[in-house]
Amino acid sequence: AMVAECLGLLVGELVTELSDWSVTTRNKAAATLLNTIVYAEKHVAKHAEALLGAFSKACMDEEDAVATKVDQCVRLAGAFIPPELFISVIENTLRNSGATAGSKKAWMAVLATLLEGCGREEVAPLLSKVCDIVSDMETSLPESEEFQIHILRVVLGCITAAGPDCGPLRRRFFIALLRIQAMSRTLPTLASRATAGIAALASAV
């Protein structure tokens, strides 16, 4: 209860510190935020937009220790922020005409990490929205591994989580995977994972 009462103030301070120039400050902020989410649990959903924005900026931190802690924060927060809420926030942000390619990459990384922790019943009703996001990103992100890997992670996250419920949208998922598979000359590792994804999709539906 005490953490819930102070959550707004805590989140505001920690979000600011995650962007600090000092690695030490960012590292402490990420560790504190992780502990805060542990205690706040479902109450973090009230601050989803601020938290997701902070995650998108800090998940690519140049310091591995910070990035790792932020990844843990994202995965834990995903247990308490309903998928319909985080997908809505991410969708609205990605469709902002002012979003840069780097920003979109980071948001897709956050979306992929959140989806990887979801269950079938949570993801199934939202698959169409995720497909729309993937379609938008396919046309707006460079065809390099650092960008495409997160599109692939989002697609694979949906297939793994939703399984048979991907059936009605199997063509959209198949086309997304086929597009990455076609980059075999420039992105052989991702193409190989996309091939495995096509097999997983076929088995699931």
Side-chain angles (χ1 to χ4, degrees):
M2 189 161 57
V3 172
E5 289 175 12
C6 306
L7 193 56
L9 181 62
L10 271 171
V11 168
E13 289 181 356
L14 294 172
V15 164
T16 300
E17 290 176 9
L18 279 173
S19 300
D20 194 84
W21 65 271
S22 166
V23 172
T24 301
T25 300
R26 297 199 308 275
N27 200 24
K28 286 181 179 178
T32 304
L33 183 55
L34 184 61
N35 286 339
T36 300
I37 296 170
V38 168
Y39 284 107
E41 295 185 337
K42 63 182 180 181
H43 298 289
V44 300
K46 297 175 184 176
H47 305 277
E49 194 163 353
L51 285 170
L52 292 170
F55 295 156
S56 75
K57 292 174 183 174
C59 69
M60 302 285 179
D61 197 286
E62 59 189 19
E63 188 67 30
D64 287 343
V66 177
T68 298
K69 286 187 178 70
V70 171
D71 181 78
Q72 292 171 340
C73 287
V74 176
R75 293 182 188 280
L76 184 58
F80 305 116
I81 301 175
E84 61 266 25
L85 177 55
F86 69 66
I87 288 175
S88 176
V89 170
I90 293 173
E91 182 181 35
N92 290 337
T93 304
L94 288 173
R95 289 190 170 167
N96 183 330
S97 58
T100 64
S103 172
K104 290 176 180 178
K105 174 183 73 171
W107 279 100
M108 287 298 282
V110 171
L111 176 58
T113 301
L114 288 166
L115 287 172
E116 286 166 359
C118 286
R120 179 178 173 182
E121 291 182 2
E122 298 170 315
V123 174
L126 303 163
L127 290 174
S128 181
K129 278 193 172 186
V130 177
C131 281
D132 290 342
I133 292 173
V134 168
S135 295
D136 288 344
M137 293 304 100
E138 284 174 341
T139 57
S140 64
L141 288 180
E143 290 189 359
S144 62
E145 184 163 354
E146 66 172 306
F147 292 94
Q148 296 298 316
I149 187 172
H150 302 299
I151 294 178
L152 178 60
R153 286 180 60 213
V154 167
V155 172
L156 295 180
C158 287
I159 294 170
T160 300
D165 290 312
C166 293
L169 294 160
R170 62 186 178 278
R171 290 183 182 178
R172 297 186 70 181
F173 284 118
F174 176 64
I175 290 170
L177 291 167
L178 198 63
R179 189 188 59 79
I180 294 175
Q181 187 189 49
M183 300 179 193
S184 57
R185 291 187 65 183
T186 53
L187 305 175
T189 301
L190 291 194
S192 178
R193 289 181 61 184
T195 299
I198 290 172
L201 177 65
S203 298
V205 301

